Amino acid sequence: MKVTDHLAAAKDTLFSFEILPPLKGRSIASIYAGIDPLMEFKPKFINVTYHREEFIYIEREHGLLEKKAVRKRPGTVGICAAIMHKYDVDAIPHLICGGFSKEETENALIDLHFLGIDNVLALRGDAVKSEANFRAHPEGHAFAVELIEQVQGMNNGAYFTEGQGQDPTNFCIGAAAYPEKHFEAMNLETDLHYLKAKVDAGASYLVTQMFFDNQRYFDFVAACRAAGITVPIIPGLKPIKSLAHISFLPKFFHIDYPTDLSKELLKCKSNAEVEQLGIEWGIAQSKELKAAGVPCIHYYTMSNSTSVRQIATEVF
Ligand code: FAD
C-alpha cells in the first residue's frame, strides 16, 4: 500500500521508523532485533536506508596503491522484501542518485516493482568520503528531482532503455526536506524552490531531516505551504543517545540544538545521562507534534531502537 494511502486512511498520527542495513558480515537477525520491539506501535511502513560504496586503498608492490570500492552496508532491497514477508508491513527502500547510472536505477526499480514494493524515498545521496563534493555518476542524476522524474516516467510507462508504452509501475514517491535548510542551499528560499520542483515532478509526500526544535518544523511547514507545497510533510526525529552525538549530529546532519536542550546537554557527564535526556526530549517533541496533528512521526533509529521504544510507549 502507498504511504499516501496510509496517511489518508489514518485517524491519528502514525508511527514509522527507519533502519540501516547491518554492516556486511552481520546477519538479518540484527535487523529483526531492532524491529521486533517497535512492532507493538503498529508502524504502517518502515524505511530502509541505502549506503553507497566507499573507496579504500590497498597497498601493492613498489608503493602502488589500488583503489577499491567496498559497500559496508549492502542489502537494502533484500531487507525490504524480508520485512514485508515477515511483518506484513510496507517497507520503503531509499533510492539514491550517487553511484547509479539511469539504466542501473531503472533495473533496480524493476526489481522493486516485481517484489511488490509500492514506495520509494528518492534522494540524491551525499558525497563519498573520498570526494569533497557530491559528484553525479556520468550517466546518472545530479539531483533528486531528476531521479523522481525517472520514477514518475516509469509510472507513466516510459522506460529509459525501452521508451514509451511499457507496462507502468505504480510507485508512491517520497522525498527529503530540511527544516533548517539543506547545507548546500544558498538559503531557505532556493531550497524551497527546489523542494517544490521535487513535488511538481512527482513526490507525493516529504520526510524531514531530524530537528530538535519543533518551532523550526512548524515554521518550515508554514513556509512550504506559502511556497505552494501542499503534500504531507512527515517530521523526522532522532533521540540523542551518547556524549559523542552531542557534536556528531550537528556536524553530520547540519542541524542546531535549541538553547534549552544545549544547556541540559552541557550538564550531562555520561552516555546514560545523555540517553535519558534524549528520551525525555523526544517524548516532549513527539507529544507536541502529535497534538498539532502531524500525519506521522518518523523516527531515525540508527539501528538502535531502545530510545525510540521508550518514546513510543509514552506517545503512541
Ligand atoms: P536534492 O533534493 O537533490 O538537493 C540537494 C541540494 O541541491 C540542495 O541544497 C538543493 O537545494 C539543491 N538542488 C536541488 N535541485 C537542484 C537543481 N535542480 N539545481 C541546483 N540545485 C538544486 N542519504 C543516503 O545516502 N542514503 C539514505 O538512505 C538517505 N536517507 C535520507 C533520508 C532522509 C529523510 C533525509 C532527510 C536524508 C537522507 N539522506 C540519505 C541524505 C541525503 O542523501 C542528503 O541530505 C543529500 O545531501 C541531499 O539529498 P536530497 O535528496 O535532499 O537532494
Side-chain angles (χ1 to χ4, degrees), residues 139-155:
E139 286 156 33
H141 300 301
F143 296 105
V145 65
E146 298 166 12
L147 174 58
I148 293 167
E149 282 164 358
Q150 183 175 9
V151 184
Q152 191 66 334
M154 289 176 73
N155 282 346

Side-chain angles (χ1 to χ4, degrees), residues 78-149:
I79 291 167
C80 285
I83 287 174
M84 288 174 60
H85 180 68
K86 182 173 164 69
Y87 298 101
D88 194 22
V89 61
D90 282 300
I92 308 180
H94 291 192
L95 204 62
I96 64 169
C97 304
F100 283 89
S101 69
K102 290 173 197 156
E103 185 169 359
E104 287 164 341
T105 295
E106 182 166 274
N107 293 340
L109 285 161
I110 289 170
D111 277 342
L112 298 177
H113 183 51
F114 288 172
L115 283 166
I117 292 173
D118 298 325
N119 302 281
V120 290
L121 192 73
L123 304 143
R124 187 195 70 180
D126 279 321
V128 289
K129 278 188 190 138
S130 52
E131 295 170 350
N133 297 304
F134 174 81
R135 279 173 48 198
H137 186 289
E139 286 156 33
H141 300 301
F143 296 105
V145 65
E146 298 166 12
L147 174 58
I148 293 167
E149 282 164 358

